[in-house]
């Protein structure tokens, strides 16, 4: 993974020192909260419902054991003993005192981490496939290009104060695990007819108040032209994006109102108008230097199968199930990709304790060549685990409460912090997620239901990605009472779609029983046990599920 050079290290240290001075001025009263707000946002500090919140960048979701161990230390020393994984592959600490944040940033700098541009109207963390560099599905590892984009976009003077926040995602696998079609810019690595690798450019996706699936404006952009083309997109957005209405300021609105064809023309015109002096020089030597940081680790030559693994599965039914649910094939023979679920039954989805972070750091160093991934679905991944080591790994995860076998099943719920933490929320999210987890806790029942993605947001900003849940749940406030609007048919994969509202909102206590009826309707209409909920929904339509949802209403 990428390591800081002397310039990276200096910039991060200087930025932390600068913010320390800004915090001191705020605490002394020299500047007001309104004056402080744009300064803190550009350093990842939010003012939440009860306290300041610090969001720390994890570029493309990749980190080392020592970095995870630093998170554990921060959680223990400065917070309440836990952190929260976000849908941008970052971590949030919800209870850090403002006076302590400069110290936290100094400590982060020691392990090559920061909170720069994790908020504000700028280009945020560039996200990617959590299996990048490990799966055989991809045409190449997309993370070097995520890093190149990160370096281009950080502190970019022209794009520091955009009309609204901006998000980029990159994948190189046909199976889209990065949700690129619901990002401001999605990049899908492709090969053209000449065998060259480049990027399909998708623009105008996003969720929130007016959700949109992005449109392809360029089927193929060569690698050496990528940054220039991104620059052209950003300039068009900066020039024409709405600044008079924050609800219409995202690029998705510009693309929708302009029309995809006209927007593409504007971008191509801007791209062609770039003078030589404006072109971004990206020497191949620099591309090679950055790519080298993502070279495959030192894998051992191992057979495709493991007698040790098969023997352990035969003796331990719970372990066999965990392997089937949470382990995916690796491109290297003898290895597997392990998803560590952060969704134990009844716990807040995406929360991890300081002790669990330390355990994960130790296990990454021992079993995964010192590499960890954070997913946009609020889980962790150990991407390079020997098949022979899976049982030992499982036992240690189980002891730490990290062996929940529910990856992509109904209890693997994406959930924003909601009204328990966020001052933008209209309703609580976490209790609804916990009630649903408890309702569908039975393992055999989860297996019978199969892949089903439930996503919950506490407000229309959609931090819980409810628009693209197979079943989405949106908390709304109705005259001081919390109700939950249900959507069906959303998906964030290569067939991305926005879910359709089923009908009137439900009270929180009615949601679990209503979804139980929906699940029973699915089991009745599916063509076989192998037909997923989303596939059955698309085959038979929404009506049977709407009827089930409101059957006792």
């Amino acid at each position: 993974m990428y390591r800081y050079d002397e310039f990276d290290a200096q910039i991060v240290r200087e930025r932390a020192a600068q913010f320390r001075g800004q915090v001191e001025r705020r605490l002394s009263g020299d500047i007001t909260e309104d004056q402080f707000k744009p300064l803190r946002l550009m350093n990842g500090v939010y003012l939440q419902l009860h306290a300041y919140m610090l969001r720390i960048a994890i570029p493309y979701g990749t980190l080392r054991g020592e970095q995870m161990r630093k998170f554990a230390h921060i959680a223990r020393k400065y917070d309440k003993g836990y952190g929260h994984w976000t849908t941008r592959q970052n971590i949030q600490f919800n209870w850090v005192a403002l006076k302590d944040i400069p110290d936290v940033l100094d400590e982060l700098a020691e392990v090559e981490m920061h909170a720069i541009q994790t908020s504000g109207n700028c280009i945020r963390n560039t996200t990617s496939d959590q299996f990048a560099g490990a799966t055989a599905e991809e045409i190449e590892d997309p993370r070097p290009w995520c890093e190149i984009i990160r370096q281009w976009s950080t502190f970019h003077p022209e794009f520091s104060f955009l009309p609204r926040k901006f998000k980029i995602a990159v994948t190189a696998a046909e199976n889209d695990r990065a949700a690129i079609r619901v990002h401001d810019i999605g990049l899908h690595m492709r090969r053209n007819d000449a065998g060259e690798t480049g990027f399909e450019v998708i623009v105008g996706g996003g969720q929130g108040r007016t959700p949109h699936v992005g449109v392809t404006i360029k089927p193929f952009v060569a690698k050496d032209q990528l940054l220039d083309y991104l620059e052209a997109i950003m300039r068009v957005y900066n020039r024409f994006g709405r600044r008079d209405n924050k609800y219409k300021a995202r690029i998705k609105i510009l693309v929708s109102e302009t029309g995809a064809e006209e927007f593409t023309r504007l971008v191509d015109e801007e791209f062609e108008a770039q003078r030589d002096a404006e072109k971004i020089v990206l020497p191949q030597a620099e591309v090679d230097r950055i790519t080298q940081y993502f070279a495959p680790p030192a894998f051992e030559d191992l057979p495709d199968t493991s007698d040790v693994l098969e023997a352990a599965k035969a003796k331990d039914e719970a372990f066999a199930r965990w392997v089937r649910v949470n382990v995916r094939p690796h491109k290297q023979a003898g290895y597997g990709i392990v998803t560590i679920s952060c969704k134990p039954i009844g716990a807040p989805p995406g929360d991890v304790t300081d002790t669990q972070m330390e355990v994960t750091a130790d296990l990454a160093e021992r079993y995964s060549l010192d590499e960890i991934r954070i997913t946009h679905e609020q889980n962790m991944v150990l991407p390079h685990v020997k098949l022979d080591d899976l049982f030992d790994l499982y036992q240690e995860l189980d002891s730490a409460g990290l062996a929940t076998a529910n990856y992509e099943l109904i209890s693997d719920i994406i959930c924003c912090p909601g009204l328990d933490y966020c001052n933008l929320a209209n309703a609580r999210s976490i209790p609804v997620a916990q009630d649903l987890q408890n309702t569908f806790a039975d393992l055999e029942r989860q297996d019978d239901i199969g892949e089903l993605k439930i996503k919950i947001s506490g407000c229309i900003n959609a931090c819980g990605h409810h628009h693209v849940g197979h079943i989405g749940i949106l908390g709304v406030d109705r005259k001081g009472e919390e109700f939950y609007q249900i959507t069906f048919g959303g998906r964030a994969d290569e067939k991305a779609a926005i879910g359709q509202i089923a009908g009137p909102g439900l009270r929180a206590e009615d949601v679990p029983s209503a979804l139980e009826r929906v699940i029973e309707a699915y089991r009745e209409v599916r063509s076989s046990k192998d037909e997923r909920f989303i596939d059955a929904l698309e085959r038979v339509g929404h009506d049977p599920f709407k009827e089930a949802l409101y059957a006792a209403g």
Side-chain angles (χ1 to χ4, degrees):
M1 67 190 69
Y2 183 74
R3 301 301 302 265
Y4 282 10
D5 61 21
E6 59 184 292
F7 303 107
D8 294 314
Q10 180 179 348
I11 287 169
V12 170
R13 287 195 304 268
E14 289 178 353
R15 184 61 174 264
Q18 181 189 60
F19 190 60
R20 181 179 293 277
Q22 293 165 348
V23 169
E24 290 171 354
R25 289 160 59 203
R26 173 70 192 106
L27 293 174
S28 68
D30 289 345
I31 57 176
T32 66
E33 180 58 40
D34 285 344
Q35 292 169 326
F36 183 55
K37 182 177 179 179
L39 303 175
R40 63 172 169 78
L41 286 177
M42 293 299 284
N43 290 279
V45 181
Y46 284 79
L47 183 56
Q48 295 285 72
L49 196 60
H50 308 292
Y52 285 100
M53 177 268 283
L54 176 64
R55 179 183 296 150
I56 296 165
I58 306 175
Y60 31 89
T62 299
L63 67 160
R64 305 187 300 275
E66 68 166 343
Q67 294 171 322
M68 180 69 84
R69 203 169 282 111
K70 179 62 74 174
F71 289 163
H73 166 73
I74 291 169
R76 183 177 297 125
K77 182 175 180 180
Y78 299 104
D79 204 281
K80 293 189 176 183
Y82 67 95
H84 176 75
W85 306 126
T86 80
T87 49
R88 292 220 58 70
Q89 298 181 302
N90 290 327
I91 190 170
Q92 291 180 180
F93 290 105
N94 290 300
W95 300 100
V96 182
L98 180 60
K99 67 179 179 61
D100 292 331
I101 290 178
D103 292 336
V104 173
L105 296 180
D106 283 343
E107 294 211 32
L108 287 170
E110 294 172 0
V111 294
E112 302 178 351
M113 302 201 84
H114 61 77
I116 298 166
Q117 291 185 201
T118 58
S119 54
N121 293 336
C122 57
I123 299 174
R124 304 279 187 92
N125 187 34
T126 297
T127 55
S128 191
D129 181 356
Q130 69 265 24
F131 294 169
T135 177
E137 297 175 13
E138 63 191 12
I139 59 176
E140 66 178 66
D141 190 339
R143 292 176 302 157
W145 290 96
C146 294
E147 175 58 28
I148 288 168
I149 292 168
R150 184 194 71 82
Q151 293 192 23
W152 160 76
S153 63
T154 303
F155 301 132
H156 196 304
E158 191 169 351
F159 310 134
S160 294
F161 291 96
L162 295 167
R164 280 290 275 133
K165 59 186 177 180
F166 204 92
K167 302 174 182 180
I168 300 174
V170 190
T171 190
E174 202 56 45
N175 179 12
D176 179 13
R177 286 175 288 265
I180 61 172
R181 286 161 180 80
V182 285
H183 278 73
D184 298 287
I185 294 177
L187 299 174
H188 199 156
M189 299 194 80
R190 303 286 193 187
R191 285 200 179 97
N192 63 13
D193 293 339
E196 301 165 324
T197 304
F199 301 87
E200 176 189 358
V201 181
I202 301 160
V203 180
Q207 298 186 64
R209 189 174 299 270
T210 49
H212 287 273
V213 173
V215 295
T216 297
I217 67 166
K218 205 73 170 177
F220 188 86
V221 172
K223 288 179 175 179
D224 63 350
Q225 295 182 324
L226 176 65
L227 295 186
D228 285 327
Y229 202 76
L230 293 180
E231 191 105 352
I233 294 170
M234 300 305 300
R235 286 182 175 181
V236 169
Y237 173 50
N238 219 7
R239 180 181 175 188
F240 295 107
R242 297 279 296 271
R243 294 180 184 271
D244 61 324
N245 185 335
K246 70 176 183 179
Y247 301 118
K248 296 184 178 181
R250 297 290 294 271
I251 196 172
K252 63 188 177 183
I253 304 299
L254 178 61
V255 174
S256 177
E257 292 184 349
T258 305
E261 185 175 344
E262 174 62 11
F263 182 84
T264 303
R265 188 193 69 78
L266 290 169
V267 172
D268 287 344
E269 182 179 74
E270 178 66 37
F271 178 71
E272 294 299 330
Q274 291 172 353
R275 297 184 294 272
D276 289 343
E278 295 176 296
K279 294 291 185 183
I280 299 170
V281 178
L282 186 60
Q284 187 59 46
E286 180 64 7
V287 175
D288 293 342
R289 183 186 74 86
I290 292 174
T291 300
Q292 188 58 39
Y293 284 108
F294 300 91
F299 294 121
E300 296 180 21
D301 290 328
L302 299 171
D304 290 336
T305 58
S306 165
D307 293 338
V308 173
L309 170 62
E310 295 305 318
K313 286 164 59 178
K315 291 180 181 178
D316 190 320
E317 183 178 343
F319 169 65
R321 181 182 183 279
W322 177 82
V323 171
R324 175 171 52 80
V325 174
N326 284 41
V327 180
R328 295 291 185 271
H330 199 287
K331 66 181 180 182
Q332 181 73 22
Y335 288 80
I337 305 170
V338 174
T339 295
I340 301 174
S341 172
C342 300
K343 318 288 180 58
I345 301 301
D351 281 5
V352 185
T353 69
D354 51 354
T355 301
Q356 290 174 328
M357 292 180 201
E358 287 179 332
V359 168
T360 303
D362 292 343
L363 296 178
E365 291 169 345
R366 195 179 319 151
Y367 295 117
S368 187
L369 299 170
D370 195 21
E371 195 165 333
I372 306 162
R373 309 286 175 78
I374 307 305
T375 82
H376 86 271
E377 294 179 319
Q378 300 175 299
N379 291 317
M380 300 183 290
V381 169
L382 297 182
H384 312 300
V385 180
K386 294 180 188 176
L387 299 180
D388 283 356
D389 290 337
L390 283 174
F391 186 61
D392 290 339
L393 171 65
Y394 167 78
Q395 289 180 305
E396 297 199 46
L397 288 172
D398 192 36
S399 297
L402 290 170
T404 304
N406 65 347
Y407 174 51
E408 295 192 311
L409 300 182
I410 193 170
S411 65
D412 183 13
I413 298 171
I414 289 182
C415 176
C416 76
L419 195 55
D420 288 314
Y421 295 95
C422 181
N423 58 0
L424 299 177
N426 298 313
R428 294 167 297 165
S429 301
I430 294 171
V432 176
Q434 292 170 315
D435 287 345
L436 288 171
Q437 288 176 325
N438 288 323
T439 298
F440 296 102
D442 182 77
L443 297 180
E444 290 187 10
R445 191 178 186 194
Q446 290 193 54
D447 286 343
D448 178 73
I449 296 167
E451 181 184 322
L452 201 166
K453 296 178 182 291
I454 295 179
K455 305 182 182 186
I456 306 174
S457 299
C459 79
I460 198 63
N461 289 304
C463 294
H465 290 195
H466 69 276
H467 291 298
V468 291
H470 297 168
I471 298 176
I473 303 174
L474 168 64
V476 297
D477 175 71
R478 189 180 299 165
K479 297 181 180 180
E481 188 174 358
E482 296 172 33
F483 281 81
Y484 294 86
Q485 193 177 77
I486 310 299
T487 58
F488 293 131
R491 52 195 302 172
D493 58 10
E494 59 279 4
K495 297 180 181 178
I498 304 301
Q500 298 177 21
I501 298 172
L506 305 173
R507 287 183 171 84
E509 61 269 24
D510 296 329
V511 171
S513 58
L515 291 197
E516 279 199 287
R517 295 192 297 273
V518 169
I519 296 308
E520 287 309 304
Y522 154 64
R523 294 178 69 246
E524 289 175 7
V525 303
R526 64 186 178 185
S527 59
S528 71
K529 189 177 176 181
D530 294 330
E531 185 177 38
R532 301 178 303 168
F533 174 87
I534 188 64
D535 298 325
L537 180 82
E538 292 176 357
R539 178 175 57 82
V540 305
H542 290 219
D543 287 347
F545 304 99
K546 290 181 182 179
E547 291 172 8
L549 186 70
Y550 297 110

